[in-house]
Amino acid sequence: MLSSNLRQLHRLGRGAINMFSTDAKQFPEAKRRFIPSQGTYPHGFFAGGSHCGIKKNGKADLALLVSDRPTTTSAVFTTNQFCAAPVQYDRSVINGARDAREQRVRAVVINSGCANAVTGQQGLADAQEMGEAGAAFVRMFDKERGVEHEGGEALVMSTGVIGQRLPLSKITDGVTAMQVDETHEAWMRAAVAHMTTDTFPKLLSRQVDIAGQPIHLAGITKGAGMIHPNMATLLGTVCTDASVPQSLLDKALAHAVARSFNAISIDGDMSTNDTIAVIANGASGVVVGDGAAYEQFTTALTEFMADLASLVVRDGEGATKFLTIEVTGARTFADAKQVASTIATSSLVKTAFYGQDANWGRILCAVGYAGVALDTNKVNMAIYPGDNSDPLVLVKGGKPLLPVDEARASEILKQEDMRVRVELGLGSEEARMYTCDLSHDYVSINADYRS
């Protein structure tokens, strides 16, 4: 922990910096319930956010997360072949640390407003310079705290318009002047600085017990469009004060991301910049080893990341509905996820929910063309409302239950949250996908994006 004098030094910053409001009242009223007013954050992590001048409208565009000690770090990246310079840079940093069996990562620098994607060798050089600015901040951070570390490296993440160079001097000056702190307000500043077309900041934190001892998780993510699985799907960082060996952290992240950030879809587009990183600094003193502790940590991380990823779907561009697609009774997890993904990405299904139409035929059609062998006589389907009242059963034993209770359907489909449950009757595996409806506003938002 910092002394009061050092904490005040970090709050004051090192130079002029453009601050901004994190007041929830500035965000849409319907989204304010997802914005935390307080949090419980992992020990040894500091956060900050500012406006450095990337965005012309004066909104926040630079965030910084810093650990007060070396960390074990794992990440998942986009599978888009036009992967952006920050993705290439971060992959080299993490792989280098993994190969050397060293804890190198100390910080993450995130900018919004410019993606640094499809920018060639110059983009790679800019990403490296951005990382070096983060590393320089760490050295100064350590010096001010009077501690001796071997410095460390910084990951970089960028989001925004593709094909433009970063305004690098603004970013490096902004990093140097950044105010970091351990408070909820500091984490909120970092979350707001991630936003592009997002309508609210996405921040989550919690305490969980591992082998009877408390650890903490905190995560920031951003995303409202270009969200589709088989990648990390967007930008996000999860910090924990647990101590987790590299091999176990890699394994836990792979499990968790398949059931969270790789289980959401908004529009079927796959970004060039998507990155999800998990950073463990061990400040809690709780060590996660093989066995029960690992299982508990993986479960906690998966549930936490699923909740964090759900915030992205709730902010889907133009979205009015939050849909959980649940497929049970599959032979394998992969089969269940494939069926769930096919339903979640169907434009016809998504527009039906926007129109509040209980079009069971579109859902059943998607199940049928998902590419998974079925016994159609065993398929059941129902829609469960978010208020936990009785579901509307639409298909049983592969046959529709007609006539559809249109009055009940209307009651359910007016709600914001609902769950589509499809039972395949073939095995014991299940999977979930999280998606939203597809509205007129999605077209308007993306037609005007660059302007």
Side-chain angles (χ1 to χ4, degrees), residues 142-205:
D142 286 348
K143 182 178 180 180
E144 289 172 353
R145 294 165 55 246
V147 299
E148 292 294 334
H149 282 306
E150 296 180 357
E153 296 185 83
L155 302 181
V156 299
M157 300 182 188
S158 298
T159 180
V161 178
I162 294 171
Q164 298 181 0
R165 275 199 65 189
L166 292 173
L168 209 52
S169 62
K170 294 179 179 180
I171 292 174
T172 55
D173 288 349
V175 171
T176 301
M178 184 65 73
Q179 302 172 18
V180 295
D181 206 336
E182 299 167 289
T183 63
H184 173 70
E185 171 65 18
W187 282 88
M188 278 296 300
R189 289 199 303 268
V192 172
H194 279 67
M195 295 170 61
T196 52
T197 59
D198 308 66
T199 66
F200 69 94
K202 300 167 182 67
L203 170 65
L204 195 64
S205 66

Side-chain angles (χ1 to χ4, degrees), residues 91-107:
R91 188 180 284 130
S92 68
V93 169
I94 292 174
N95 287 343
R98 184 184 288 114
D99 292 344
R101 298 185 178 182
E102 294 178 352
Q103 295 180 311
R104 293 180 178 176
V105 175
R106 290 284 306 280

Side-chain angles (χ1 to χ4, degrees), residues 1-82:
M1 301 289 288
L2 287 180
S3 70
S4 59
N5 288 340
L6 284 172
R7 188 177 294 110
Q8 182 65 19
L9 175 63
H10 283 285
R11 284 176 178 166
L12 291 173
R14 301 173 182 79
I17 191 165
N18 293 310
M19 296 306 295
F20 52 89
S21 173
T22 62
D23 189 342
K25 292 180 180 178
Q26 68 185 296
F27 303 111
E29 185 174 0
K31 305 296 184 182
R32 291 175 196 166
R33 63 192 175 104
F34 305 120
I35 303 173
S37 59
Q38 58 186 357
T40 175
Y41 296 99
H43 300 304
F45 283 99
F46 296 74
S50 72
H51 168 68
C52 72
I54 300 172
K55 294 178 182 175
K56 297 177 182 179
N57 58 12
K59 292 185 177 181
D61 52 21
L62 186 66
L64 181 63
L65 302 174
V66 181
S67 171
D68 67 1
R69 66 199 71 197
T71 72
T72 302
T73 300
S74 185
V76 177
F77 301 102
T78 182
T79 57
N80 191 308
Q81 294 184 68
F82 279 102

